[in-house]
């Protein structure tokens, strides 16, 4: 039996509550405003040194890279985020997994726990970003 993939439009709760990409936009703004370019490049250089040399801002970072960036003490200190490093990076990793499931058309619906988690993360990022 053919099962059509669930598209973003099939997930009204997630789409309505989470404008596409808001988590990434807020992370990028925080990083662009607070983290030195050399630390962003160092994060990317771990997997691609050529690409790292071309980086000019945080727009090059994918959601998967943020846990690695904030896992670096110097980047975390530069960002000045009053968060527990372990819990914050774990939350970013979970968010990246959920985002990948959503964008790669996972047939599984987004559960209420995941929606509550994303709402909480987004609320936290809004406060950290300082732009409610």
């Amino acid at each position: 039996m053919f099962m059509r993939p669930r598209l973003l439009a099939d997930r009204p709760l997630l789409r309505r509550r989470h404008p596409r990409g808001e988590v990434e936009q807020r992370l990028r703004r925080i990083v662009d405003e607070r983290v030195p370019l050399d630390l962003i490049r160092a994060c990317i250089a771990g997997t691609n040194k050529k690409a790292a040399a071309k980086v000019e801002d945080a727009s090059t970072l994918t959601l998967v890279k943020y846990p690695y960036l904030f896992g670096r003490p110097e980047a975390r200190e530069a960002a000045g985020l009053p968060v527990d490093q372990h819990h914050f990076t774990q939350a970013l990793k979970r968010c990246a997994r959920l985002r990948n499931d959503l964008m790669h058309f996972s047939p599984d619906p987004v559960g209420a726990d995941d929606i509550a988690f994303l709402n909480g993360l987004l609320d936290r990022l809004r406060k950290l970003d300082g732009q409610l």
Side-chain angles (χ1 to χ4, degrees), residues 12-80:
L13 276 176
L14 188 62
R15 191 176 72 171
R16 183 177 66 237
R17 289 186 158 169
H18 298 281
R20 189 171 159 181
E22 185 178 352
V23 168
E24 287 181 273
Q25 290 172 354
R26 289 191 180 273
L27 285 167
R28 283 188 184 126
R29 185 170 31 239
I30 288 167
V31 171
D32 274 337
E33 291 176 357
R34 305 175 188 178
V35 179
L37 185 57
D38 61 325
L39 293 177
I40 299 170
R41 287 182 175 148
C43 177
I44 294 171
T47 55
N48 190 335
K49 290 184 182 189
K50 251 187 201 182
K54 298 176 184 177
V55 171
E56 294 184 18
D57 58 28
S59 67
T60 308
L61 293 172
T62 61
L63 194 53
V64 173
K65 292 288 187 186
Y66 286 100
Y68 297 105
L69 178 67
F70 288 115
R72 301 173 64 100
E74 61 274 21
R76 197 171 52 255
E77 185 178 306

Side-chain angles (χ1 to χ4, degrees), residues 84-103:
D84 176 82
Q85 183 259 339
H86 174 75
H87 289 109
F88 188 60
T89 56
Q90 290 304 312
L92 293 177
K93 286 178 184 180
R94 181 176 176 189
C95 182
R97 280 192 305 274
L98 291 170
R99 183 241 177 239
N100 286 342
D101 285 349
L102 181 69
M103 296 309 292

Side-chain angles (χ1 to χ4, degrees), residues 81-127:
L81 301 179
V83 295
D84 176 82
Q85 183 259 339
H86 174 75
H87 289 109
F88 188 60
T89 56
Q90 290 304 312
L92 293 177
K93 286 178 184 180
R94 181 176 176 189
C95 182
R97 280 192 305 274
L98 291 170
R99 183 241 177 239
N100 286 342
D101 285 349
L102 181 69
M103 296 309 292
H104 296 290
F105 308 115
S106 171
D108 299 326
V110 177
D113 286 347
D114 291 333
I115 292 172
F117 161 75
L118 290 171
N119 278 329
L121 178 60
L122 192 51
D123 287 345
R124 181 73 169 151
L125 287 173
R126 286 174 178 153
K127 291 173 186 165

